[in-house]
Amino acid sequence: VLFRSVGKPDMPGYWRDYRLYITARAGDPNYTAMNELEFRIGGVDVSSPSSVTNHSTTSGAGFGSDKLVDNDFTGSNTRWSSDLNVPFPQWVSVSPTGSLVRVEEILIWPYGTSPTRAPMDFIVQGTLDGSTWVDICAYTGVLGWTADTPKTFSILNDLYKYFRVYITANMGAADYTALAEIELLNID
């Protein structure tokens, strides 16, 4: 089986083709089967509870953007929530280390009991100084959020000090937007 990779095939460390070479079977000796095979960039989550965070609005103390990096992915009171009935855009930002860092993937965890509050249209942005933001990747029509299950987005990019999720629409909740956690993955 030969697989084609996506991303940056001309860069050192990236492969153009991948092969899954099966040398033994467990079970039926007549065939091999699998449901799904996923190749991800992966890496280490460079965000942590000590990361600097910020937000456009919040629904109050206890629901600030610091909850996005607390490593509590599914708790009922561990989320960032925008203020009630504030129009879009809403945003949250994270400076994972306080220094320049390359992030290859971002995992966004929806707030467990309300996937309709998850982002549907958003832009992942980066900045060197905390004020001049550069669009890295834009996503529209992101559907199918499931409670307590993250979605992974590849954001191959340059080095930035801060990363922001700039939300222009959620999944339909009229009163506020909420996220449980953000993970910023680095492979360097």
Side-chain angles (χ1 to χ4, degrees), residues 20-38:
L20 176 63
Y21 185 66
I22 300 170
T23 59
R25 295 185 198 113
D28 191 318
N30 296 315
Y31 68 93
T32 300
M34 69 179 68
N35 291 334
E36 183 175 336
L37 180 64
E38 178 181 9

Side-chain angles (χ1 to χ4, degrees), residues 154-175:
S154 294
I155 59 167
L156 303 173
N157 68 72
D158 294 323
L159 296 168
Y160 292 105
K161 186 174 180 181
Y162 300 88
F163 294 86
R164 178 164 78 174
V165 178
Y166 188 85
I167 304 165
T168 57
N170 66 21
M171 291 288 298
D175 50 356

Side-chain angles (χ1 to χ4, degrees), residues 121-140:
D121 300 338
F122 63 96
I123 303 167
V124 177
Q125 299 175 314
T127 183
L128 300 173
D129 59 10
S131 61
T132 305
W133 293 92
V134 175
D135 292 352
I136 299 171
C137 292
Y139 298 92
T140 57

